[in-house]
Structures are given as structure tokens and as C-alpha cells.
Amino acid sequence: MGFFRMQRLTAIALVAFMALHMVVVHYPPGHLDFTRVLERLANPLWKAIDIAFLGTVLLHGLGGLYDALIDKERIAMARRAVAGGLAAIGLAAFGYGVYTVISFSPAALAALR
């Protein structure tokens, strides 16, 4: 898949994720508190949605940053280094985010209260 197509597909996915986020977090029926967030994160589907959202944000954001950086003549000469550095940052951020979402345990937090 080409870069241009990947940017457009992730942009469309981000619009869908942001709409879902706005409805679920900012306009829920009733009052939104930490207990409802705990309930939602106990559901594996919501964990998968959060991980997909994170991956889409990272692909779109770091891809756009790469495209902007290689427009500069000095940086364009180091294209592979820039791509490798951004890929390393993206993988580290994605790994940390996935670890955080998967290891989040509402039951453990409830036991602390």
C-alpha cells in the first residue's frame, strides 16, 4: 500500500474513532465517572478498540511527520535514518500503549479502594 493511500485510510479510520470517542466519552447517557470507565475497560472489545485507535493515531501521525520532515532538503538525505527512528518511536509507543491497555485490570483497581 502506498504512503498516500495509507494516510487517507488512517484519516478515515480516525474520523470514525473520534466520532465513537466523542459519543462514548463526552456525550454518554447519564453521568460519566471512573466506575463506568472501569466497566468499559473490563470488556475485551473496548480494549481492542483502544489498541486499534492507538495504532491508527501512530500510523497517521508518524507518517505525516515523516512526510513533513523529508520535505526539508538536509533531512531528505537521511531519509532511511528518519524512517528508522520514527519506526522505532512508533513501535515503542505502540508496545507501551498495548501493554498499558492489556494490563489494565479494573478488578485490581477495585481491590485498592
Side-chain angles (χ1 to χ4, degrees), residues 70-84:
I70 62 167
D71 270 352
K72 301 293 181 192
E73 204 168 300
R74 282 189 220 166
I75 296 173
M77 293 184 303
R79 182 177 281 198
R80 282 192 171 158
V82 170

Side-chain angles (χ1 to χ4, degrees), residues 60-104:
H60 187 80
L62 292 174
L65 180 59
Y66 171 78
D67 196 38
L69 286 174
I70 62 167
D71 270 352
K72 301 293 181 192
E73 204 168 300
R74 282 189 220 166
I75 296 173
M77 293 184 303
R79 182 177 281 198
R80 282 192 171 158
V82 170
L86 290 175
I89 290 169
L91 288 172
F94 187 72
Y96 182 71
V98 168
Y99 172 76
T100 302
V101 169
I102 289 176
S103 66
F104 186 82

